[in-house]
Amino acid sequence: MLLLDAVASLGGIASLGTLALEHGVSSRDVGNAVRRGEVTRVRQGWVCLPAADRELVGAVRVGGTLSCTSILRRHGIWCAHDRRLHVRVLPHVGRVRSPFDRKLPLSADHAVHVHRPAWPGVAARTCAADDLSTALALAVVCQPRFDAVASLDSALNRHLITQAQLDDVLAPLPAKYRAYAGVVDGAAQSGLETKARLALRGRGVRLRTQVRVPEVGRVDLLLGDRLVLELDGWEWHSRPADFEEDRRRSRALAAQGFRELRFSYRQVTRDWAECERVVLALVRADEHLWRARHVRPV
């Protein structure tokens, strides 16, 4: 039971080195447990319980640790839509294997993204999953710029990292990634908001994020003085009460003279060019600024 308890305490998968050093488990104990079917050999030097997490087992079987967006999703952090298994492998590991069978080589059919980070300070492989800081650093390099910044925004917004920790994450990366620190906004409530914010600021549009409007609450983006942009994610507005609240907010905005645009997840992620065209047309017409023609509340 000592062996099984030890493996369970390590997340259901463990290296023989960790079992020996931290729990006093011998290789003989491991061999006996394997023969009894209590644990399975994942890869040389690693064993797991039968019910161990499949992603963790797959990452170790490949030859590394679960990392990048595969870890971010587990923390509820926004990241690019990519269901591949992301595995960090040390530079000296030459034989990467199938996540399903350690006897088979890794192939493109296995939907695995192997990372071999070269920057200094990358941790050695001692467990099956990377810490959040290492995973974030890989995700910054791995993802398109807008998604990478959205991941950093999300981690800050969920209080999973501090600003100081974010600086540490970016510090060892190449200069173009370190520059992301200048555009991160921990107030962002979703990746949709981040993407819209970055795109519109890149077009020179003046905007603020998460602005509180009387009788409305916080709005996602406020362009200029009066153009409100709301971004609706998959998980939002699914209940009748949410639908009604949206309409109440829209009425309250209109009553105060604001102009409102709402874009869906699909529109932002698949058809942003058209969304941007509409927004920029309103900005060019000064619809984002208070003018004499606009009716303002008394």
Side-chain angles (χ1 to χ4, degrees):
M1 289 300 294
L2 174 63
L3 168 61
L4 301 185
D5 291 341
V7 177
S9 72
L10 294 167
I13 182 168
S15 70
L16 302 192
T18 299
L19 290 173
L21 290 173
E22 298 183 9
H23 298 274
V25 175
S26 68
S27 58
R28 181 176 180 179
D29 294 332
V30 173
N32 290 335
V34 170
R35 284 189 288 274
R36 290 193 298 267
E38 295 171 340
V39 296
T40 301
R41 293 193 187 276
V42 180
R43 190 179 170 105
Q44 184 176 359
W46 288 79
V47 293
C48 72
L49 298 175
D53 185 296
R54 293 180 63 182
E55 283 195 329
L56 295 179
V57 172
V60 170
R61 192 172 281 135
V62 167
T65 59
L66 193 69
S67 195
C68 194
T69 56
S70 294
I71 292 292
L72 268 53
R73 283 196 298 271
R74 290 169 172 245
H75 288 277
I77 294 174
W78 175 283
C79 50
H81 185 71
D82 178 2
R83 290 300 175 181
R84 292 175 298 174
L85 191 72
H86 285 252
V87 182
R88 178 175 65 86
V89 174
L90 295 177
H92 67 269
V93 175
R95 298 176 63 199
V96 288
R97 315 303 292 176
S98 161
F100 310 111
D101 188 339
R102 62 194 176 106
K103 297 178 182 178
L104 298 176
L106 182 67
S107 75
D109 295 334
H110 292 136
V112 174
H113 187 128
V114 173
H115 298 267
R116 296 181 185 268
W119 55 83
V122 179
R125 185 172 71 132
T126 58
C127 61
D130 270 341
D131 62 88
L132 181 56
S133 292
T134 301
L136 265 174
L138 284 180
V140 166
V141 175
C142 177
Q143 299 180 99
R145 177 174 177 266
F146 283 10
D147 287 305
V149 175
S151 292
L152 297 174
D153 281 359
S154 180
L156 283 172
N157 182 264
R158 297 175 67 84
H159 305 292
L160 295 173
I161 61 170
T162 64
Q163 183 63 52
Q165 289 170 327
L166 182 145
D167 293 339
D168 290 341
V169 165
L170 297 178
L173 303 183
K176 71 174 183 177
Y177 302 114
R178 295 198 302 272
Y180 292 176
V183 295
V184 167
D185 184 350
Q189 296 291 312
S190 76
L192 298 180
E193 182 183 323
T194 298
K195 291 187 172 191
R197 180 186 86 237
L198 295 175
L200 292 173
R201 281 184 174 161
R203 290 286 201 159
V205 177
R206 179 172 63 89
L207 60 84
R208 289 175 286 159
T209 64
Q210 292 299 312
V211 177
R212 185 174 293 280
V213 176
E215 300 181 26
V216 176
R218 292 190 180 277
V219 297
D220 291 337
L221 300 175
L222 178 61
L223 283 59
D225 305 318
R226 63 183 293 272
L227 180 55
V228 170
L229 194 59
E230 295 276 57
L231 299 315
D232 301 337
W234 283 121
E235 73 284 0
W236 196 245
H237 316 284
S238 57
R239 299 178 304 163
D242 298 327
F243 182 89
E244 293 299 326
E245 173 61 9
D246 284 344
R247 273 61 196 169
R248 185 201 68 77
R249 285 165 55 93
S250 294
R251 289 197 306 272
L253 285 169
Q256 297 177 68
F258 288 93
R259 180 76 181 264
E260 180 191 32
L261 289 175
R262 303 195 76 96
F263 295 138
S264 69
Y265 177 95
R266 183 178 180 83
Q267 288 171 330
V268 174
T269 58
R270 302 285 183 87
D271 196 19
W272 174 250
E274 177 59 20
C275 297
E276 188 176 86
R277 186 190 67 79
V278 172
V279 172
L280 294 180
L282 290 174
V283 169
R284 283 192 293 269
D286 285 344
E287 287 296 316
H288 64 312
L289 302 174
W290 291 118
R291 295 295 189 225
R293 67 179 181 274
H294 299 138
V295 178
R296 299 184 65 174
V298 178

